[in-house]
Amino acid sequence: MTEIIFKIRADDVDGGYVATALGAKFDFRTQAETIADVKIMIADALRCHFDAEAAIPKIIRLHFVKDELLTLN
């Protein structure tokens, strides 16, 4: 595998950000207070999930999700 995608969204309840690995092969998530910290936590999660450093996907794509509310008057 050469690529993994993480969906990153703001945590409305606790604050900070939650990153979830997408795809049937992956079932893990991590969280942190800032975007910079969530990137560090993603790297740490990947190192824990894969047995060898060489097995970690070469492309780590971050998909930021931002919900906005639109009201019509």
Side-chain angles (χ1 to χ4, degrees):
M1 170 165 289
T2 60
E3 181 178 27
I4 186 170
I5 301 171
F6 283 87
K7 177 178 74 173
I8 300 175
R9 63 172 177 76
D11 187 342
D12 295 333
V13 176
D14 296 324
Y17 298 91
V18 176
T20 305
L22 301 179
K25 294 182 181 182
F26 307 108
D27 185 27
F28 59 95
R29 68 181 62 204
T30 189
Q31 63 186 48
E33 291 296 318
T34 67
I35 295 292
D37 286 343
V38 85
K39 290 177 181 180
I40 292 168
M41 296 303 291
I42 288 170
D44 186 54
L46 288 169
R47 287 186 191 102
C48 290
H49 183 79
F50 290 94
D51 294 333
E53 190 87 15
I56 297 174
K58 302 301 180 224
I59 298 171
I60 303 164
R61 191 174 306 274
L62 307 179
H63 176 71
F64 290 87
V65 176
K66 180 180 177 185
D67 292 328
E68 293 188 20
L69 180 62
L70 173 65
T71 59
L72 301 177
N73 297 331

